[in-house]
Protein backbone atom coordinates (compact mmCIF):
# COMPACT_ATOMS: atom_id res chain seq x y z
CA UNK A 1 0.00 0.00 0.00
CA UNK A 2 1.25 3.46 -0.95
CA UNK A 3 -1.33 5.60 0.84
CA UNK A 4 -3.56 5.50 3.91
CA UNK A 5 -6.66 4.36 1.99
CA UNK A 6 -4.89 1.32 0.60
CA UNK A 7 -3.51 0.54 4.04
CA UNK A 8 -7.00 0.60 5.57
CA UNK A 9 -8.29 -1.63 2.78
CA UNK A 10 -5.43 -4.13 3.31
CA UNK A 11 -6.06 -4.23 7.06
CA UNK A 12 -9.78 -4.86 6.57
CA UNK A 13 -9.08 -7.68 4.09
CA UNK A 14 -6.64 -9.29 6.51
CA UNK A 15 -9.13 -9.04 9.40
CA UNK A 16 -11.90 -10.54 7.27
CA UNK A 17 -9.61 -13.35 6.14
CA UNK A 18 -8.56 -14.11 9.73
CA UNK A 19 -12.17 -14.22 10.96
CA UNK A 20 -13.31 -16.41 8.05
CA UNK A 21 -10.36 -18.78 8.40
CA UNK A 22 -10.87 -19.02 12.16
CA UNK A 23 -14.55 -19.86 11.69
CA UNK A 24 -13.67 -22.48 9.07
CA UNK A 25 -11.06 -24.08 11.34
CA UNK A 26 -13.52 -24.00 14.26
CA UNK A 27 -16.24 -25.77 12.28
CA UNK A 28 -13.79 -28.45 11.14
CA UNK A 29 -12.58 -28.98 14.70
CA UNK A 30 -16.13 -29.24 15.98
CA UNK A 31 -17.04 -31.76 13.28
CA UNK A 32 -13.96 -33.85 14.04
CA UNK A 33 -14.78 -33.83 17.75
CA UNK A 34 -18.33 -34.96 17.02
CA UNK A 35 -17.15 -37.80 14.77
CA UNK A 36 -14.56 -38.81 17.36
CA UNK A 37 -17.24 -39.02 20.07
CA UNK A 38 -19.47 -41.13 17.82
CA UNK A 39 -16.62 -43.49 16.97
CA UNK A 40 -15.67 -43.74 20.64
CA UNK A 41 -19.24 -44.70 21.53
CA UNK A 42 -19.39 -47.32 18.75
CA UNK A 43 -16.01 -48.74 19.79
CA UNK A 44 -17.13 -48.99 23.40
CA UNK A 45 -20.34 -50.78 22.39
CA UNK A 46 -18.42 -53.23 20.19
CA UNK A 47 -15.94 -53.95 22.98
CA UNK A 48 -18.80 -54.55 25.41
CA UNK A 49 -20.51 -56.93 22.98
CA UNK A 50 -17.24 -58.76 22.28
CA UNK A 51 -16.67 -59.21 26.02
CA UNK A 52 -20.21 -60.56 26.46
CA UNK A 53 -19.81 -63.09 23.62
CA UNK A 54 -16.46 -64.25 24.95
CA UNK A 55 -17.55 -64.58 28.58
CA UNK A 56 -20.65 -66.57 27.64
CA UNK A 57 -18.74 -68.97 25.34
CA UNK A 58 -20.82 -68.24 22.25
CA UNK A 59 -19.95 -70.44 19.28
CA UNK A 60 -17.88 -68.82 16.49
CA UNK A 61 -20.66 -69.46 13.93
CA UNK A 62 -23.22 -67.55 15.96
CA UNK A 63 -20.67 -64.80 16.72
CA UNK A 64 -20.14 -64.28 12.98
CA UNK A 65 -23.88 -64.07 12.43
CA UNK A 66 -24.21 -61.45 15.18
CA UNK A 67 -21.40 -59.28 13.81
CA UNK A 68 -22.67 -59.63 10.24
CA UNK A 69 -26.16 -58.53 11.23
CA UNK A 70 -24.93 -55.56 13.29
CA UNK A 71 -22.60 -54.48 10.49
CA UNK A 72 -25.45 -54.66 7.98
CA UNK A 73 -27.66 -52.60 10.28
CA UNK A 74 -24.97 -49.94 10.73
CA UNK A 75 -24.22 -49.51 7.03
CA UNK A 76 -27.84 -49.47 5.82
CA UNK A 77 -28.82 -46.20 4.21
CA UNK A 78 -31.10 -44.44 6.70
CA UNK A 79 -32.74 -42.44 3.93
CA UNK A 80 -33.96 -45.67 2.31
CA UNK A 81 -35.96 -46.64 5.42
CA UNK A 82 -39.57 -45.53 5.44
CA UNK A 83 -40.13 -42.50 7.67
CA UNK A 84 -42.38 -43.34 10.63
CA UNK A 85 -44.80 -41.02 12.41
CA UNK A 86 -42.86 -41.00 15.74
CA UNK A 87 -39.80 -39.74 13.83
CA UNK A 88 -41.64 -36.56 12.83
CA UNK A 89 -42.13 -34.46 16.02
CA UNK A 90 -44.08 -31.81 14.10
CA UNK A 91 -47.00 -34.22 13.67
CA UNK A 92 -47.57 -34.15 17.43
CA UNK A 93 -48.55 -30.48 17.07
CA UNK A 94 -51.44 -31.27 14.71
CA UNK A 95 -55.01 -31.70 15.98
CA UNK A 96 -56.21 -35.27 16.48
CA UNK A 97 -58.73 -35.08 13.62
CA UNK A 98 -55.99 -34.05 11.17
CA UNK A 99 -53.67 -36.84 12.35
CA UNK A 100 -56.51 -39.34 11.87
CA UNK A 101 -57.03 -38.07 8.34
CA UNK A 102 -53.30 -38.36 7.62
CA UNK A 103 -53.13 -41.94 8.86
CA UNK A 104 -56.32 -42.84 7.00
CA UNK A 105 -54.97 -41.61 3.67
CA UNK A 106 -51.61 -43.31 4.33
CA UNK A 107 -52.91 -46.74 5.40
CA UNK A 108 -56.35 -47.13 3.80
CA UNK A 109 -54.88 -48.05 0.35
CA UNK A 110 -52.86 -50.80 2.04
CA UNK A 111 -55.85 -52.25 3.89
CA UNK A 112 -58.05 -52.03 0.78
CA UNK A 113 -56.09 -54.93 -0.71
CA UNK A 114 -57.99 -57.18 1.74
CA UNK A 115 -61.69 -57.75 0.82
CA UNK A 116 -62.89 -57.53 4.43
CA UNK A 117 -61.24 -54.17 5.10
CA UNK A 118 -62.33 -52.88 1.70
CA UNK A 119 -66.03 -53.61 2.29
CA UNK A 120 -65.88 -52.65 5.96
CA UNK A 121 -64.47 -49.25 4.97
CA UNK A 122 -67.49 -48.73 2.69
CA UNK A 123 -69.94 -49.68 5.45
CA UNK A 124 -68.24 -47.98 8.38
CA UNK A 125 -65.89 -45.22 7.18
CA UNK A 126 -65.62 -43.67 10.67
CA UNK A 127 -64.71 -47.01 12.23
CA UNK A 128 -62.12 -47.56 9.49
CA UNK A 129 -60.57 -44.21 10.39
CA UNK A 130 -60.38 -45.41 13.99
CA UNK A 131 -58.65 -48.61 12.87
CA UNK A 132 -56.12 -46.64 10.82
CA UNK A 133 -55.51 -44.30 13.74
CA UNK A 134 -55.34 -46.70 16.68
CA UNK A 135 -54.81 -50.27 15.48
CA UNK A 136 -51.97 -50.00 12.95
CA UNK A 137 -48.20 -49.89 13.47
CA UNK A 138 -45.42 -49.64 10.88
CA UNK A 139 -42.25 -51.71 11.23
CA UNK A 140 -39.03 -51.78 9.20
CA UNK A 141 -37.11 -55.03 8.73
CA UNK A 142 -33.60 -55.57 7.41
CA UNK A 143 -32.52 -58.56 5.35
CA UNK A 144 -32.81 -61.79 7.37
CA UNK A 145 -34.50 -59.98 10.26
CA UNK A 146 -37.26 -62.04 11.86
CA UNK A 147 -40.86 -61.05 12.47
CA UNK A 148 -42.52 -62.94 15.35
CA UNK A 149 -41.11 -66.21 16.64
CA UNK A 150 -41.89 -69.90 16.66
CA UNK A 151 -42.25 -70.35 20.42
CA UNK A 152 -45.45 -70.77 22.39
CA UNK A 153 -46.93 -67.62 23.87
CA UNK A 154 -45.56 -65.39 21.12
CA UNK A 155 -47.87 -62.47 20.44
CA UNK A 156 -48.85 -62.49 16.76
CA UNK A 157 -50.52 -59.87 14.61
CA UNK A 158 -51.89 -59.80 11.11
CA UNK A 159 -49.57 -57.84 8.87
CA UNK A 160 -49.48 -56.37 5.36
CA UNK A 161 -46.29 -56.13 3.31
CA UNK A 162 -45.90 -52.59 1.92
CA UNK A 163 -42.36 -52.96 0.56
CA UNK A 164 -39.91 -55.82 0.17
CA UNK A 165 -40.73 -59.49 0.65
CA UNK A 166 -41.29 -61.74 3.68
CA UNK A 167 -40.55 -65.47 3.65
CA UNK A 168 -42.13 -68.22 5.73
CA UNK A 169 -40.03 -71.44 5.80
CA UNK A 170 -42.27 -74.45 5.32
CA UNK A 171 -41.34 -76.91 8.06
CA UNK A 172 -41.87 -80.28 6.36
CA UNK A 173 -43.17 -82.16 3.32
CA UNK A 174 -46.71 -82.10 4.69
CA UNK A 175 -46.73 -78.32 4.20
CA UNK A 176 -47.41 -78.62 0.47
CA UNK A 177 -50.65 -80.61 0.67
CA UNK A 178 -51.68 -78.71 3.80
CA UNK A 179 -51.26 -75.42 1.97
CA UNK A 180 -53.31 -76.64 -0.98
CA UNK A 181 -56.22 -78.16 0.95
CA UNK A 182 -58.53 -76.45 3.42
CA UNK A 183 -58.74 -78.17 6.85
CA UNK A 184 -62.54 -78.34 6.53
CA UNK A 185 -62.31 -80.25 3.26
CA UNK A 186 -62.29 -79.23 -0.39
CA UNK A 187 -59.45 -78.66 -2.80
CA UNK A 188 -57.84 -75.43 -3.93
CA UNK A 189 -59.84 -75.63 -7.20
CA UNK A 190 -63.09 -75.77 -5.26
CA UNK A 191 -62.06 -72.73 -3.27
CA UNK A 192 -61.30 -70.81 -6.47
CA UNK A 193 -64.77 -71.58 -7.82
CA UNK A 194 -66.67 -70.46 -4.70
CA UNK A 195 -64.47 -67.69 -3.29
CA UNK A 196 -64.81 -64.00 -4.13
CA UNK A 197 -61.26 -63.22 -3.02
CA UNK A 198 -58.65 -61.78 -5.35
CA UNK A 199 -55.82 -64.07 -6.55
CA UNK A 200 -53.37 -62.59 -4.02
CA UNK A 201 -55.97 -62.96 -1.26
CA UNK A 202 -56.63 -66.56 -2.31
CA UNK A 203 -52.93 -67.32 -2.09
CA UNK A 204 -52.82 -65.97 1.45
CA UNK A 205 -56.07 -67.75 2.39
CA UNK A 206 -54.50 -71.09 1.50
CA UNK A 207 -51.22 -70.23 3.22
CA UNK A 208 -52.92 -69.25 6.45
CA UNK A 209 -54.99 -72.42 6.49
CA UNK A 210 -51.63 -74.15 6.48
CA UNK A 211 -50.55 -72.06 9.48
CA UNK A 212 -53.62 -73.30 11.36
CA UNK A 213 -53.58 -76.95 10.34
CA UNK A 214 -50.11 -78.10 9.35
CA UNK A 215 -48.55 -77.96 12.82
CA UNK A 216 -50.76 -80.80 14.05
CA UNK A 217 -49.33 -83.11 11.39
CA UNK A 218 -45.70 -82.80 12.48
CA UNK A 219 -45.24 -85.54 15.06
CA UNK A 220 -41.67 -86.61 14.29
CA UNK A 221 -38.69 -84.21 14.71
CA UNK A 222 -37.07 -85.73 11.65
CA UNK A 223 -39.85 -84.34 9.47
CA UNK A 224 -39.19 -80.72 10.47
CA UNK A 225 -36.49 -80.09 7.89
CA UNK A 226 -37.52 -77.21 5.58
CA UNK A 227 -38.36 -78.11 2.01
CA UNK A 228 -39.21 -74.68 0.63
CA UNK A 229 -40.54 -71.27 1.60
CA UNK A 230 -43.77 -69.41 1.08
CA UNK A 231 -43.50 -65.70 0.29
CA UNK A 232 -45.60 -62.67 1.17
CA UNK A 233 -45.08 -59.96 -1.44
CA UNK A 234 -46.11 -56.27 -1.48
CA UNK A 235 -49.90 -55.94 -1.43
CA UNK A 236 -50.32 -59.29 0.33
CA UNK A 237 -50.88 -60.14 3.99
CA UNK A 238 -50.28 -62.93 6.49
CA UNK A 239 -51.38 -64.16 9.92
CA UNK A 240 -54.99 -63.10 9.43
CA UNK A 241 -55.93 -65.96 11.74
CA UNK A 242 -54.56 -63.88 14.63
CA UNK A 243 -57.65 -61.65 14.31
CA UNK A 244 -60.10 -64.54 14.75
CA UNK A 245 -58.45 -66.98 17.15
CA UNK A 246 -57.40 -66.75 20.79
CA UNK A 247 -54.18 -68.70 20.30
CA UNK A 248 -52.02 -69.06 17.21
CA UNK A 249 -48.56 -70.60 16.97
CA UNK A 250 -46.20 -70.44 14.02
CA UNK A 251 -43.93 -73.31 13.06
CA UNK A 252 -41.15 -70.84 12.23
CA UNK A 253 -40.74 -67.05 12.12
CA UNK A 254 -41.32 -64.86 9.10
CA UNK A 255 -37.98 -63.70 7.68
CA UNK A 256 -37.34 -60.62 5.56
CA UNK A 257 -35.96 -61.74 2.20
CA UNK A 258 -34.92 -58.12 1.56
CA UNK A 259 -35.33 -54.79 3.30
CA UNK A 260 -39.04 -54.73 4.01
CA UNK A 261 -41.75 -52.47 5.42
CA UNK A 262 -44.78 -54.09 7.06
CA UNK A 263 -48.00 -52.77 8.59
CA UNK A 264 -49.12 -54.60 11.74
CA UNK A 265 -52.77 -54.82 12.86
CA UNK A 266 -53.19 -54.78 16.64
CA UNK A 267 -55.66 -57.57 17.41
CA UNK A 268 -57.03 -56.13 20.66
CA UNK A 269 -57.56 -52.65 19.22
CA UNK A 270 -59.17 -54.09 16.08
CA UNK A 271 -61.63 -56.18 18.13
CA UNK A 272 -62.44 -53.21 20.37
CA UNK A 273 -63.29 -50.95 17.41
CA UNK A 274 -65.30 -53.63 15.59
CA UNK A 275 -67.40 -54.36 18.71
CA UNK A 276 -68.60 -50.75 18.98
CA UNK A 277 -71.18 -51.18 16.21
CA UNK A 278 -73.53 -54.13 16.70
CA UNK A 279 -74.87 -54.14 13.13
CA UNK A 280 -71.54 -54.45 11.31
CA UNK A 281 -70.09 -56.55 14.11
CA UNK A 282 -72.54 -59.33 13.13
CA UNK A 283 -71.25 -59.31 9.53
CA UNK A 284 -67.62 -59.39 10.69
CA UNK A 285 -68.45 -62.28 13.04
CA UNK A 286 -69.96 -64.22 10.12
CA UNK A 287 -66.79 -63.62 8.11
CA UNK A 288 -64.66 -64.81 11.05
CA UNK A 289 -66.79 -67.95 11.37
CA UNK A 290 -66.38 -68.64 7.65
CA UNK A 291 -62.64 -68.05 7.84
CA UNK A 292 -62.08 -70.51 10.69
Amino acid sequence: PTNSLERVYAVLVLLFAMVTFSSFISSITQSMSYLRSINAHITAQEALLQRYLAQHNISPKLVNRVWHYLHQRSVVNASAIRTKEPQVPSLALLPRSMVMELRHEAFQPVLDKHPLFHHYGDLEPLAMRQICHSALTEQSLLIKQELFGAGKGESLSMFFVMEGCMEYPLPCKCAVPAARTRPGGGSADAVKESSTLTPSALKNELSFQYLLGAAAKMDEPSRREPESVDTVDPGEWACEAALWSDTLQLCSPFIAHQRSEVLLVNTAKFAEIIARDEHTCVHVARYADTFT
Side-chain angles (χ1 to χ4, degrees), residues 72 141-147 161 163-168 229-233 254-261:
Q72 180 192 39
L141 299 167
L142 299 178
I143 299 177
K144 300 302 181 182
Q145 188 172 354
E146 297 179 355
L147 180 65
V161 176
E163 298 178 12
C165 177
M166 300 296 296
E167 292 183 342
Y168 183 78
V229 296
D230 197 5
T231 60
V232 188
D233 298 312
F254 285 88
I255 303 174
H257 178 65
Q258 58 194 58
R259 187 189 61 78
S260 303
E261 301 285 344

Side-chain angles (χ1 to χ4, degrees), residues 143-190:
I143 299 177
K144 300 302 181 182
Q145 188 172 354
E146 297 179 355
L147 180 65
F148 310 136
K152 293 183 178 180
E154 178 77 15
S155 178
L156 303 179
S157 300
M158 179 184 182
F159 68 90
F160 292 79
V161 176
M162 297 184 292
E163 298 178 12
C165 177
M166 300 296 296
E167 292 183 342
Y168 183 78
L170 302 179
C172 61
K173 295 181 179 179
C174 66
V176 176
R180 293 176 181 172
T181 306
R182 297 170 62 91
S187 64
D189 293 334

